[in-house]
Amino acid sequence: MSLTDSSPTQIAQAAAVSSRSLAVLSSDARNEALTAVHRALVQAKDSILSANAQDVELASKAAESGELSQSVLKRLDLSRKGKWEDMLQGILDVRDLDDPVGKVTMKTKLDDDLILERRSCPIGVLLIIFEARPEVIANITSLAIKSGNAAILKDTKCEFSRSYHRADDTAGGKESTESFKAISTVISKALKSTKVPRSSIQLVITRESISDLLALDKYIDLVIPRGSNELVRSAKSQTSIPVLGHADGLCSIYIHADADPSMAVRIVVDAKLNYTAACNSVETLLVDEAVLQTTLPQVVSALLEKGVSLRCDKPSKAALRRTLPRNQATILQDASDTDFDTEFLDLVLAIKTVPKTSSPIASVDLATTHINTHSSKHTDAILTSSESIADRFLSHVDSACVFWNTSTRMADGMRFGFGTEVGISTNKIHARGPVGLEGLMIYKYQIRGTGQVAGDYSEGGGRTWKHERLL
């Protein structure tokens, strides 16, 4: 890794050159580099967390004055339970995965001694733009090196665009400066002793406009924004380079009439409270009318005890007021239409009733219609004891991740066994869902011949295609 103050063009050119060397570096050399990075970060824990504490202190003051959102503050804090450990473990998990480079995914015998292969290869140069996420440097470094991709990392200390000016988000990059410097310096020193080309991982430390980097489609192959909705949308609007990411994490859970009540309580509480500021935190709870006075009160009571504000539609609020203790019923709020299109990233949950229908199938269809209309196609889940109902939900919901009887928080590269992730994609081209090594690979076609030419297979050429699939 290098901390660079070069011009955007110089940065991108250096990355492009380095990417070609990294792409052919041996698996052992890449793994040794990740071991070195992990070792260095372990040894530098105290200094990194001290730097992070400085950032958190400044960010806390900004949050108190209303200049920074609580969700950004939570993402910034590396001392939050398990965050440091998960970051380090992610490096080792990625290192221990199978080498994704050079895998043969198709092999065809076109003719005798004429073999076609499709082999996996790195995408090339990644541009990662991020806000208040210090662990991103370690995550991206490990995934990029393992996958053979060069990466340019840029935080949002500089103004992103004239339209990108929200105080809570632009401050995010500013408030995380010391953490980024500490982590990137440690990684940079660690990589000097390895065979990884110096310019293959670059952290841009100048205040150059991100827009300048987004214009360099000659050298940069993929943009991955890690941050707010505004950041993702602004990136997409300013570049012709493919952008991998999601603008919102508007996730829903549907409690079907036959859902196990205790399971529903456990899953919904986890999905809302495990990490409220995460993009896979649940924001909308859909509930069958049949369980408004049975399962729902148990779920709601558990949420209220944890300090969650509930915005209920009329049927659910009326049912809850009849069943909850007065002290809980009086603090329920009325839901507006916009609540079902909102990613709260806070202790807020919208509740909507799925009305009684002629059949269980009709009910699940109403739920999936609502989700496909209002969700961000990130992660949605159903709670039901019926496999047939679950299968219908899983096939009808058009989201990157669709779950049965588990928390939306399961949508995560580490939990999927990917080691870590560069982000979650709601795209429908190339990569979708948590993006790990596989999402950072593309492929090339190789033919190994012995002098054959296209004319040999034309009329009068004397040869015919065999097209025998070998893999």
Side-chain angles (χ1 to χ4, degrees):
M1 169 181 278
S2 63
L3 281 69
T4 179
D5 57 2
S6 301
S7 71
T9 299
Q10 291 172 328
I11 292 167
Q13 287 175 332
V17 172
S18 292
S19 71
R20 292 189 280 275
S21 298
L22 184 59
V24 296
L25 196 63
S26 72
S27 177
D28 286 345
R30 284 179 277 127
N31 287 340
E32 288 167 4
L34 295 185
T35 299
V37 168
H38 177 268
R39 184 189 307 115
L41 289 173
V42 169
Q43 294 172 348
K45 176 181 178 180
D46 290 344
S47 62
I48 292 173
L49 291 184
S50 176
N52 182 246
Q54 296 178 49
D55 291 335
V56 171
E57 182 179 0
L58 288 174
S60 297
K61 293 177 181 178
E64 289 172 4
S65 64
E67 297 176 359
L68 189 75
S69 71
Q70 288 295 323
S71 61
V72 172
L73 178 59
K74 290 176 183 177
R75 289 197 299 264
L76 174 62
D77 189 2
L78 277 178
S79 67
R80 194 172 65 85
K81 184 179 179 181
K83 194 164 186 178
W84 172 262
E85 292 76 15
D86 286 348
M87 181 185 79
L88 292 180
Q89 186 59 45
I91 298 171
L92 297 181
D93 290 345
V94 169
R95 180 199 64 185
D96 295 339
L97 293 172
D98 291 341
D99 185 8
V101 180
K103 285 190 172 181
V104 178
T105 58
M106 186 197 80
K107 188 172 184 178
T108 301
K109 180 179 180 180
L110 304 180
D111 196 359
D112 293 335
D113 298 319
L114 187 65
I115 305 298
L116 168 68
E117 291 181 340
R118 184 174 63 204
R119 287 181 176 265
S120 61
C121 62
I123 289 174
V125 178
L126 315 175
L127 171 61
I128 318 296
I129 309 165
F130 54 95
E131 303 164 325
R133 297 169 186 262
E135 74 278 11
V136 164
I137 298 176
N139 293 346
I140 298 300
T141 296
S142 58
L143 285 169
I145 291 174
K146 182 74 176 187
S147 63
N149 286 289
I152 301 168
L153 295 92
K154 182 74 173 80
D155 69 26
T156 56
K157 287 184 292 183
C158 63
E159 182 182 7
F160 186 79
S161 71
R162 293 183 183 275
S163 63
Y164 179 66
H165 61 273
R166 274 182 47 184
D168 63 341
D169 292 315
T170 52
K174 296 175 184 177
E175 302 299 338
S176 50
T177 301
E178 297 305 317
S179 303
F180 293 141
K181 285 181 180 177
I183 294 174
S184 57
T185 298
V186 169
I187 293 176
S188 179
K189 290 180 179 178
L191 289 178
K192 284 182 179 179
S193 62
T194 74
K195 296 179 181 179
V196 171
R198 178 173 171 77
S199 295
S200 56
I201 310 291
Q202 299 178 79
L203 179 68
V204 182
I205 60 176
T206 64
R207 298 178 69 86
E208 296 283 352
S209 171
I210 294 174
S211 300
D212 293 338
L213 287 166
L214 290 172
L216 298 173
D217 57 344
K218 181 178 179 180
Y219 306 108
I220 297 172
D221 300 293
L222 183 66
V223 177
I224 305 177
R226 293 289 307 273
S228 67
N229 302 341
E230 284 78 8
L231 175 65
V232 177
R233 292 184 178 121
S234 194
K236 288 183 175 180
S237 70
Q238 296 191 51
T239 187
S240 60
I241 306 168
V243 177
L244 188 152
H246 68 277
D248 298 283
L250 212 171
C251 305
S252 301
I253 292 179
Y254 168 43
I255 301 179
H256 190 63
D258 64 358
D260 177 82
S262 61
M263 180 189 292
V265 171
R266 189 165 183 267
I267 289 175
V268 175
V269 168
D270 179 89
K272 186 71 244 184
L273 292 161
N274 180 260
Y275 186 14
T276 307
C279 61
N280 54 13
S281 173
V282 66
E283 307 289 14
T284 297
L285 185 65
L286 302 174
V287 187
D288 268 349
E289 185 178 353
V291 293
L292 289 183
Q293 298 187 62
T294 54
T295 303
L296 180 61
Q298 298 178 53
V299 173
V300 164
S301 181
L303 291 169
L304 290 173
E305 289 175 3
K306 299 290 187 179
V308 179
S309 297
L310 300 174
R311 300 182 183 180
C312 310
D313 67 355
K314 290 182 179 180
S316 62
K317 187 176 182 181
L320 290 168
R321 292 185 67 138
R322 290 193 295 269
T323 54
L324 290 178
R326 182 176 178 80
N327 66 313
Q328 290 187 333
T330 55
I331 60 176
L332 299 175
Q333 302 173 24
D334 293 323
S336 66
D337 289 342
T338 58
D339 287 330
F340 301 109
D341 295 301
T342 300
E343 182 186 24
F344 299 109
L345 297 176
D346 204 349
L347 294 175
V348 180
L349 182 67
I351 301 177
K352 186 174 183 63
T353 303
V354 177
K356 288 183 179 178
T357 61
S358 57
S359 70
I361 291 295
S363 294
V364 76
D365 286 350
L366 286 177
T368 58
T369 296
H370 174 92
I371 290 171
N372 288 334
T373 301
H374 296 274
S375 88
S376 60
K377 304 185 186 303
H378 188 297
T379 302
D380 302 286
I382 183 172
L383 310 184
T384 177
S385 60
S386 168
E387 184 172 0
S388 61
I389 290 294
D391 285 342
R392 189 171 184 88
F393 182 91
L394 296 173
S395 61
H396 280 59
V397 171
D398 183 22
S399 294
C401 300
V402 193
F403 300 157
W404 173 25
N405 286 349
T406 192
S407 170
T408 55
R409 288 281 293 133
M410 291 295 187
D412 175 83
M414 182 272 291
R415 298 184 180 105
F416 277 19
F418 297 168
T420 184
E421 64 183 33
V422 295
I424 292 183
S425 171
T426 54
N427 295 358
K428 290 190 177 182
I429 298 177
H430 175 59
R432 200 178 189 198
V435 180
L437 288 179
E438 184 178 345
L440 298 180
M441 307 304 296
I442 192 62
Y443 53 81
K444 63 174 69 173
Y445 288 100
Q446 299 177 346
I447 292 181
R448 299 171 190 269
T450 52
Q452 298 90 339
V453 297
D456 293 340
Y457 301 91
S458 300
E459 185 175 355
R463 302 192 67 88
T464 58
W465 298 110
K466 294 193 174 180
H467 289 158
E468 178 185 339
R469 289 297 294 267
L470 304 177
L471 179 65

